[in-house]
């Protein structure tokens, strides 16, 4: 492998680009240790040593650090490592380590997420956000069956906090409220039930 380019990332680290389209981020001391400079050659053995002895361990510490601040799904952690230019081998090692020690479990994450958000977000919004975090549609649907969202209760809280009085609203005002809640993902049926009457534009 040939080092085609070394690009500083910050004052301490540089991005090492290899001719096989591999990219490694190493500290200056590590570059010196392996005599890396533009145009130099590194063997497959040296590459594997860097992955094994430096980047796998660093990726593991990185994901453990990320989990200290908040729960994350496997996809979110993979994305964070990829953004940090960790090679695929290091990413797989770090994720396997977390799974082995039960530091991550996407289904448990989803259940906690639903439990925390089911009193303030619509079912559609929760589905969208969990799928964006890497949960599959079927798993999310199953969890929402176990822990259903009471959208009507959330809409009532919204109306109460906004100090709205549906009984005093005309059709235009109710339609405006329904549109606002619809943009938040609440179903037409739940909103209209709370407002007491379904208004349909002629």
């Amino acid at each position: 492998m040939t080092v085609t380019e070394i690009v500083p990332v910050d004052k301490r680290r540089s991005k090492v680009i290899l001719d096989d389209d591999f990219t490694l981020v190493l500290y200056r001391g590590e570059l010196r240790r392996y005599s890396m400079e533009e145009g130099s050659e590194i063997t497959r053995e040296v590459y594997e040593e860097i992955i094994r002895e430096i980047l796998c361990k660093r990726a593991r510490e990185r994901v453990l650090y990320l989990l200290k601040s908040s729960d994350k799904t496997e996809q979110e952690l993979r994305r964070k490592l990829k953004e940090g230019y960790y090679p695929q081998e290091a990413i797989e090692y770090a994720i396997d380590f977390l799974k082995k020690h039960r530091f991550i479990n996407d289904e448990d994450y989803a259940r906690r997420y639903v439990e925390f958000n089911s009193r303030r977000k619509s079912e559609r919004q929760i589905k969208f956000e969990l799928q964006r975090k890497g949960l599959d549609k079927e798993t999310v649907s199953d969890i929402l069956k176990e822990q259903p969202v009471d959208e009507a209760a959330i809409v009532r809280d919204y109306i109460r906090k906004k100090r709205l009085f549906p009984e005093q609203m005309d059709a235009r005002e109710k339609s405006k409220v329904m549109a606002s809640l619809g943009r938040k993902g609440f179903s037409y049926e739940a909103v209209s039930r709370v407002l007491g009457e379904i208004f349909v534009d002629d």
Side-chain angles (χ1 to χ4, degrees), residues 4-120:
T4 59
E5 193 175 4
I6 297 177
V7 182
V9 174
D10 52 37
K11 291 181 179 180
R12 302 169 61 203
R13 301 176 301 155
S14 292
K15 185 165 58 175
V16 180
I17 302 171
L18 305 175
D19 58 356
D20 289 335
D21 201 29
F22 292 114
T23 300
L24 311 173
V25 172
L26 299 172
Y27 287 89
R28 285 185 296 179
E30 293 160 352
L31 293 177
R32 290 194 297 270
R33 186 195 314 172
Y34 291 102
S35 303
M36 283 191 180
E37 55 186 29
E38 291 185 5
S40 65
E41 299 286 334
I42 64 170
T43 64
R44 170 59 64 174
E45 290 74 18
V46 168
Y47 173 83
E48 291 176 354
E49 179 183 325
I50 292 170
I51 298 295
R52 183 179 64 252
E53 300 298 329
I54 297 175
L55 297 179
C56 280
K57 294 176 181 178
R58 191 169 292 158
R60 181 189 63 198
E61 296 307 310
R62 176 63 177 158
V63 290
L64 288 172
Y65 175 79
L66 289 169
L67 289 172
K68 281 183 179 179
S69 58
S70 65
D71 280 350
K72 288 179 176 58
T73 63
E74 178 180 336
Q75 179 175 288
E76 289 176 312
L77 292 169
R78 285 181 179 276
R79 185 171 62 246
K80 287 285 188 183
L81 290 176
K82 193 171 182 181
E83 289 171 355
Y85 297 103
Y86 285 92
Q88 194 61 37
E89 300 98 321
I91 293 174
E92 296 303 330
Y93 172 85
I95 297 299
D96 287 346
F97 173 85
L98 294 178
K99 288 181 176 179
K100 179 181 178 181
H101 294 278
R102 299 181 180 178
F103 287 120
I104 57 169
N105 182 306
D106 280 1
E107 285 191 29
D108 288 345
Y109 174 95
R111 285 189 176 90
R112 290 193 298 271
Y113 188 92
V114 171
E115 183 178 3
F116 181 77
N117 290 285
S118 61
R119 295 178 185 85
R120 62 192 187 94

